[in-house]
Amino acid sequence: MFDLTQLKQQSGLPAEVLEQIEQAIRADYPDDDMMFELHLVRVLQALKQRRITLEQILAEPVPA
């Protein structure tokens, strides 16, 4: 639904950081791809607009 590839590139974040963000969001929406994508887009936009920090996003441990 969203062009996640372009959004990830535009974020300027390293692949490892993007993977951590994706894991955190996927943990909340394990079976809902649309909600996962929507929240990933919103997080990347919030980071770009400096409304949230990486530390805030990654503060909660990701389940193994």
Side-chain angles (χ1 to χ4, degrees):
M1 176 168 211
F2 301 99
D3 187 353
L4 296 180
T5 303
Q6 182 179 11
L7 288 170
K8 289 178 192 180
Q9 289 174 346
Q10 290 175 345
S11 76
L13 296 170
E16 305 83 38
V17 172
L18 288 167
E19 181 64 29
Q20 289 177 325
I21 293 170
E22 289 177 359
Q23 287 177 2
I25 296 170
R26 183 55 78 183
D28 289 336
Y29 303 100
D31 300 318
D32 193 333
D33 291 338
M34 186 176 290
M35 288 298 286
F36 165 78
E37 288 185 13
L38 174 63
H39 283 273
L40 180 58
V41 168
R42 293 183 75 192
V43 165
L44 293 177
Q45 288 174 343
L47 282 169
K48 184 176 182 178
Q49 297 169 355
R50 297 179 185 214
R51 293 184 288 124
I52 193 168
T53 66
L54 279 175
E55 291 78 18
Q56 291 172 306
I57 296 166
L58 303 176
E60 294 186 35
V62 177

